Amino acid sequence: MRVLSSSTGVAKLDLRSVLALICLLAASLLLERPAMAAEEQMRFVVVRSNQDGCEPTCPEWISATGTIGPKTPALLKATLKTLAGRKLPLVLRSPGGDIAAAMALGRLIRKNQLSVAVGTTMFFGCQRDEKNCTANDGKGADYIGKAVSLGACSRACTLVLAAGKRRIAGEGTLVEDIPTLGGNERETRKLVAYYGEMGVRYQSLVERLRDTGGNPGHYDLSTVLLLTSTLPVGQLVDAVICRGTPAPDNCRVFTTMDLE
């Protein structure tokens, strides 16, 4: 069952951003699905926006990419501990993984009132898996980048998406293979209970998937509360969000003290 996102919001991009998006999109069309299938266990890294003009106050988010495994909830818990209570949204890209771990991860996300958006983080300077990198020294963060609405959230990943305070999947993203049945009756009951905790109307979701042959469309996903928005990931991480008063919790002011 596949759901291709749609969106009514169009972001204004400068030329460099457009070229970068074109390159990323071309790469994703050729490589994305095989790469996701071979992805290692999900990793979490905190990323600061490199959007022009946002300094000294720029949005930050948690990049969450990879397959969900038994250790994934503990990895997120460790990342959240480093944030000392700051609530950063997750930019999520995953082919799925362990259902039980996904539900534990979702409950941790819901407990901490984090928002979740399907998307891909483009890293500038230091790459996510690069060791002993100094390219971002003096920039206020280990990882600098841009989040874009490209990528997919499949199977167990959709349970993590359902946990967000805000749940976003914009144009260019794919939400598919939403689990509604477990391997046995007991596992199915756990799924039903989990959807209830997350505010998703399980019976409505099952009926919609059945009536539409497994392709409910974004309007129907919003209807059953799996999504709260089909706008771009920029709703959570664009620099403009930091210009309001009060600024969202994921906007951090960079000062010289951050270099000490």
Side-chain angles (χ1 to χ4, degrees), residues 34-255:
M36 287 187 67
E39 197 91 58
E40 296 296 330
Q41 179 167 247
M42 182 172 284
R43 284 189 54 197
F44 302 95
V45 295
V46 176
V47 184
R48 184 174 179 83
S49 173
N50 72 334
Q51 196 169 348
D52 290 342
C54 72
E55 293 292 2
T57 306
C58 292
E60 298 179 340
W61 63 91
I62 300 171
S63 168
T65 304
T67 299
I68 301 164
K71 296 181 180 179
T72 305
L75 293 175
L76 177 60
K77 190 173 183 179
T79 300
L80 295 178
K81 188 175 181 179
T82 68
L83 297 174
R86 293 182 63 223
K87 300 182 186 301
L88 271 57
L90 266 74
V91 176
L92 177 67
R93 179 176 180 268
S94 172
D98 185 275
I99 292 287
M103 289 192 288
L105 185 61
R107 289 186 173 106
L108 180 60
I109 289 169
R110 180 54 63 96
K111 178 182 178 181
N112 286 274
Q113 292 293 290
L114 307 181
S115 294
V116 181
V118 179
T120 297
T121 297
M122 300 166 57
F123 291 90
F124 294 83
C126 295
Q127 299 301 300
R128 191 191 69 170
D129 299 315
E130 189 174 355
K131 298 184 183 299
N132 302 317
C133 178
T134 60
N136 293 337
D137 287 359
K139 296 183 178 178
D142 292 334
Y143 297 100
I144 306 291
K146 179 180 180 64
V148 294
S149 292
L150 291 172
C153 180
S154 306
R155 297 178 287 279
C157 174
T158 65
L159 299 176
V160 179
L161 174 61
K165 181 179 180 180
R166 295 176 66 187
R167 305 176 292 280
I168 294 175
E171 183 177 4
T173 63
L174 191 67
V175 177
E176 62 177 352
D177 294 342
I178 304 165
T180 56
L181 294 174
N184 53 50
E185 185 177 347
R186 181 184 178 188
E187 291 177 357
T188 298
R189 286 200 301 268
K190 289 182 178 179
L191 267 177
V192 174
Y194 177 81
Y195 280 124
E197 289 177 45
M198 300 304 136
V200 176
R201 294 194 288 271
Y202 173 80
Q203 194 59 42
S204 296
L205 177 62
V206 171
E207 291 174 358
R208 190 70 64 182
L209 292 173
R210 180 195 64 206
D211 294 344
T212 58
N215 187 9
H218 254 287
Y219 171 78
D220 301 310
L221 280 177
S222 298
T223 299
V224 297
L225 299 184
L226 187 65
L227 297 180
T228 59
S229 174
T230 58
L231 292 173
V233 66
Q235 295 293 306
L236 300 177
V237 299
D238 193 275
V240 70
I241 69 172
C242 297
R243 297 170 190 162
T245 304
D249 200 37
N250 65 312
C251 295
R252 181 172 67 88
V253 180
F254 170 56
T255 67

Side-chain angles (χ1 to χ4, degrees), residues 9-15 17-18 21 51 146 232 238:
V10 179
K12 294 183 179 179
L13 301 174
D14 58 30
L15 182 57
S17 297
V18 171
L21 285 174
Q51 196 169 348
K146 179 180 180 64
D238 193 275

